[in-house]
Amino acid sequence: MAEDGQMNYKMLALIVVLVIIITGVASFTFFTYFSVSSDEENNENEITSVEDIRPTYNAGDYTVNISNNNQINFVRASIVFELENAELAEELDKRSSQIRDRVISTLRAQNEEILEEPGADTIKGIVQEKINELLISGEITNVWFTELVVQ
């Protein structure tokens, strides 16, 4: 009879451990599934929401000879800036000569690896940094190349 009592405690302990494990696995699966689904829904909303699009400024077209490089002769680029606020477009208009100078000198100073990089993220960051140094009433939040030809 003592063995039957001990067997009941072992069986009860085994059942409790199994219930805890099953509950843990079910909870982990539930939270993982719903947290991934809600993240995907939030990303879709961010992308498709028109209110999230900031003002843009067409910085123009540039054709630049490359210095210090024998293989690449020139770069042709069309650039658009994403602005922090709409008032910044007025300052960019006033500083258009300075902006063209900065973009041209930045493009001329680059090497082949940076210019041919997929996505051109490095050159975008450099152009953004150089232009933001000029600005007083805000900053450029993103740089897009609507055309980038390296030859």
Side-chain angles (χ1 to χ4, degrees):
M1 196 167 223
E3 289 179 5
D4 288 339
Q6 248 182 350
M7 187 61 97
N8 287 338
Y9 287 122
K10 286 182 181 179
M11 187 63 92
L12 182 62
L14 180 64
I15 291 172
V16 169
V17 169
L18 287 175
V19 167
I20 291 172
I21 290 173
I22 291 171
T23 304
V25 169
S27 299
F28 174 77
T29 304
F30 176 80
F31 287 119
T32 303
Y33 174 78
F34 283 108
S35 67
V36 169
S37 297
S38 64
D39 287 346
E40 289 174 359
E41 290 172 6
N42 289 340
N43 289 340
E44 289 174 7
N45 291 340
E46 289 176 9
I47 293 170
T48 60
S49 177
V50 176
E51 291 82 25
D52 290 341
I53 298 174
R54 293 185 174 176
T56 59
Y57 178 81
N58 186 354
D61 300 326
Y62 300 87
T63 303
V64 180
N65 289 329
I66 301 300
S67 60
N68 299 329
N69 197 338
N70 296 330
Q71 294 179 351
I72 297 178
N73 296 323
F74 71 92
V75 173
R76 187 173 64 221
S78 297
I79 301 175
V80 175
F81 298 141
E82 180 183 30
L83 310 178
E84 184 177 48
N85 55 52
E87 294 80 29
L88 186 58
E90 186 176 325
E91 182 181 356
L92 290 171
D93 284 334
K94 290 179 182 177
R95 295 180 178 270
S96 63
S97 298
Q98 293 173 321
I99 290 169
R100 286 195 67 81
D101 179 61
R102 288 276 173 114
V103 170
I104 289 169
S105 61
T106 301
L107 289 174
R108 281 186 61 92
Q110 301 312 309
N111 60 26
E112 181 179 3
E113 291 82 28
I114 291 176
L115 291 171
E116 291 183 345
E117 175 183 88
D121 291 331
T122 303
I123 189 67
K124 287 178 183 179
I126 294 170
V127 169
Q128 180 178 349
E129 179 183 318
K130 295 290 186 184
I131 300 302
N132 281 336
E133 290 173 358
L134 292 171
L135 302 176
I136 297 170
S137 63
E139 65 179 22
I140 294 170
T141 57
N142 205 347
V143 174
W144 294 302
F145 287 107
T146 55
E147 178 186 22
L148 183 62
V149 178
V150 180
Q151 291 185 342

